[in-house]
Structure formats: C-alpha cells, structure tokens
Amino acid sequence: TKVRSITLDSWHKELLDMMLALGNEKSNDLYEGNLPPDYDIPTPTSNREMKEEFIQTKYVDHGFLHKEALLKSADLPQQYQIMYDAAARDEMIPIMWALPVGASIDHVYEDDYN
C-alpha cells in the first residue's frame, strides 16, 4: 500500500481515473468507515506529527477501514473476481473496496487467456 502525493508521485491513468470518478466522499466512506466518533481528525492547522499519524493509520495501517471491507479481506481470489466483474460493468466502488485489502489493480485474470 502506498500513500500517494498528487504532485510528487506518478499515477497510473487507471488509478487516477478511479480516484477522479470516486471522489473524496466515497473514498472516505471506505477509509474512515470505522473511524471512532470521538477521534480528533487533523485540520490544516494541526501539527505535522498529528497529520502524519492520521495518514499512517488511515492509509497504511488501514486502522479506520470500513468493517465490511475487512470482512472480505480473507478471500483474495474472490476480491479479484469482484474487481473483474465490476470492471466489466464499469463500476468503480467494488474495485476501490478490494484494493486496500490486498487486491492489485495490475492483476491479470487468467480466464481471459484460456
């Protein structure tokens, strides 16, 4: 898992398209779906340490990841099937939910070559 900077990292076109299609609200539904109600989310004026801790917990450790996504994480082959089916229907949300639990956007679905 990588935390990406919009200006410092290079983005695959597919990943950029997905992020643009989903937007921040849907992304936060996933990555903050299990955020404790009393958690003090950093603001632009928060100190750097607080911001770094939040980013690490949210994106690297998946500490606030929606419980439904975590329940699905045990079955990676199923996640690839979900991603494949969602891509065929041009649906981004199931793909987004599969990525933080270990699925790769670069996965090759072998049935396409048989």
Side-chain angles (χ1 to χ4, degrees):
T1 300
K2 291 183 181 179
V3 175
R4 296 190 179 266
S5 163
I6 292 179
T7 57
L8 298 177
D9 290 317
S10 60
W11 290 62
H12 292 284
K13 180 181 179 337
E14 295 83 2
L15 185 57
L16 182 58
D17 289 346
M18 182 178 78
M19 295 305 290
L20 289 170
L22 294 170
N24 203 41
E25 184 177 336
K26 291 177 185 165
S27 179
N28 282 339
D29 287 346
L30 170 62
Y31 284 97
E32 294 180 6
N34 199 24
L35 186 73
D38 59 343
Y39 191 89
D40 192 16
I41 297 174
T43 65
T45 60
S46 297
N47 67 48
R48 181 181 179 96
E49 182 179 296
M50 183 180 183
K51 292 175 186 176
E52 287 177 354
E53 180 181 321
F54 179 73
I55 290 168
Q56 173 77 30
T57 303
K58 180 177 177 180
Y59 295 111
V60 178
D61 301 337
H62 300 136
F64 311 124
L65 200 62
H66 197 286
K67 288 181 180 180
E68 188 175 323
L70 291 173
L71 291 174
K72 296 176 181 178
S73 66
D75 191 354
L76 195 54
Q78 181 183 17
Q79 291 303 311
Y80 285 127
Q81 183 66 50
I82 289 168
M83 286 177 60
Y84 183 80
D85 293 343
R89 294 187 310 270
D90 201 25
E91 295 178 4
M92 292 291 155
I93 292 176
I95 296 169
M96 179 184 79
W97 280 58
L99 295 175
V101 295
S104 169
I105 199 164
D106 297 320
H107 179 73
V108 175
Y109 194 66
E110 296 298 329
D111 285 354
D112 282 349
Y113 297 99
N114 294 332

